[in-house]
């Protein structure tokens, strides 16, 4: 019979596993929790252990596990099918529970690579945001080439090859753009969507299709939208403020309305889409 001590031990293990996933930028997966984390406990203990681990994380680290949205699926699926698919969460990430005012007062120190990746991801996501929340593969490659992705988003070997006598060639820029987009998709900041001839969307998600190369797919009829990580970590109002700051404008109500029209959403003062 399972006792409180076994559940508390499992909750501590889950807290440590969640922090390790957070540090490595990976999602917390249900199948990994059911394995070594909850060894010896039955499936009915999952929710009590999960809730206890969340309580530990919130008390000690001001963090909590929040479920990642499902990857975007084929539009032809019925609403009821989509609803049923989202009833059970299978992946989570850690999110701060500190209020905005408290976070603003903190002097957060980020590693140089982390700053570069977050800044680059925010720029790419903002471009998708003001393009009615989707962008073609060709457009995204063009924008990423202009932005110049940070070297830390692709393998060290490619980073060394990126420069010839200090000057990046056209081939290297194209390769870097593709590698940077793949990096953001791999870390769930982007979802890759295949458009059918009937204008339906089919999300590759984490299926085998995600692993297909550009040569096999040809990237014809492919577009990108926000992935699960972006949807969890960024609210609409956060993105509106970011766009205002980058463009050197004030984030006025009129500006927020204009940004909302560009992304196809009505953005409320709370940051949610209406």
């Amino acid at each position: 019979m399972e006792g409180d001590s076994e559940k508390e031990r499992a909750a501590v293990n889950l807290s440590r596993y969640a922090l390790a996933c957070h540090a490595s930028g990976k999602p917390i997966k249900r199948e990994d929790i059911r394995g070594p984390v909850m060894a010896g406990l039955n499936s009915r203990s999952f929710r009590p252990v999960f809730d206890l681990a969340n309580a530990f994380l919130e008390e000690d680290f001001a963090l909590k596990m929040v479920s990642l949205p499902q990857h975007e699926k084929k539009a032809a699926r019925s609403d009821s099918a989509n609803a049923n698919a989202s009833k059970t969460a299978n992946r989570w990430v850690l999110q701060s529970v500190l209020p905005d005012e408290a976070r603003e007062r903190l002097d957060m120190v980020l590693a140089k690579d982390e700053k570069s990746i977050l800044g680059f991801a925010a720029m790419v996501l903002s471009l998708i945001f003001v393009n009615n929340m989707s962008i073609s593969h060709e457009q995204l490659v063009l924008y990423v080439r202009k932005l110049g992705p940070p070297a830390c988003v692709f393998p060290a070997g490619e980073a060394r090859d990126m420069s010839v006598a200090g000057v990046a060639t056209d081939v290297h820029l194209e390769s870097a753009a593709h590698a940077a987009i793949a990096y953001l998709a791999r870390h769930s900041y982007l979802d890759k969507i295949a458009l059918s001839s009937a204008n339906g969307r089919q999300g590759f998600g984490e299926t085998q299709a995600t692993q297909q190369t550009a040569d096999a797919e040809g990237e014809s009829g492919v577009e990108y939208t926000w992935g699960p990580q972006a949807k969890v970590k960024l609210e609409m109002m956060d993105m509106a403020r970011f766009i205002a700051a980058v463009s050197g404008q004030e984030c006025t109500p009129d500006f927020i309305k204009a940004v909302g029209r560009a992304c196809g959403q009505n953005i409320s003062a709370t940051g949610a889409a209406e």
Side-chain angles (χ1 to χ4, degrees), residues 30-73:
R30 180 181 288 268
E31 59 264 32
D32 293 336
I33 296 174
R34 284 177 170 169
V37 172
M38 291 189 60
L41 299 179
N42 62 46
S43 59
R44 291 191 300 273
S45 298
F46 183 91
R47 178 49 59 182
V49 169
F50 186 92
D51 290 342
L52 184 57
N54 245 351
F56 289 158
L57 288 165
E58 187 166 348
E59 181 178 354
D60 294 338
F61 300 99
L63 297 168
K64 68 175 180 179
M65 291 180 282
V66 297
S67 61
L68 282 174
Q70 297 291 326
H71 283 276
E72 188 163 336
K73 303 298 181 182

Side-chain angles (χ1 to χ4, degrees), residues 150-225:
C152 53
V153 302
F154 39 84
E158 283 192 42
R160 286 194 299 269
D161 294 340
M162 270 296 298
S163 181
V164 177
V167 179
T169 67
D170 190 65
V171 172
H172 289 138
L173 289 172
E174 188 77 9
S175 175
H178 284 277
I181 292 169
Y183 177 93
L184 294 178
R186 191 164 59 249
H187 287 80
S188 295
Y189 284 102
L190 298 178
D191 255 351
K192 182 179 179 182
I193 309 298
L195 299 181
S196 71
S197 57
N199 294 324
R201 291 183 173 190
Q202 181 175 2
F204 289 127
E206 292 188 325
T207 64
Q208 185 178 1
T210 311
Q211 306 302 321
Q212 292 179 334
T213 64
D215 290 338
E217 186 61 37
E219 303 298 354
S220 177
V222 168
E223 67 180 24
Y224 290 87
T225 186

Side-chain angles (χ1 to χ4, degrees), residues 119-137:
F120 173 68
M123 285 298 297
V124 170
L125 293 170
S126 71
L127 292 168
I128 296 173
F129 188 79
V130 297
N131 198 53
N132 203 24
M133 294 304 289
S134 67
I135 193 169
S136 70
H137 175 80

Side-chain angles (χ1 to χ4, degrees), residues 99-118:
D100 290 340
E101 310 81 57
R103 281 187 286 167
E104 288 172 2
R105 289 196 300 268
L106 291 174
D107 185 15
M108 302 295 288
V109 178
L110 298 176
K112 182 180 178 181
D113 284 356
E114 190 174 2
K115 285 182 180 179
S116 299
I117 291 169
L118 290 175

Side-chain angles (χ1 to χ4, degrees), residues 7 15 25 28 37 52 62 77 89 121 126 152 201 204 226 249 270:
K7 291 179 181 177
S15 301
I28 303 156
V37 172
L52 184 57
R77 289 186 62 180
S126 71
C152 53
R201 291 183 173 190
F204 289 127
W226 280 24
Q249 301 184 58
T270 61

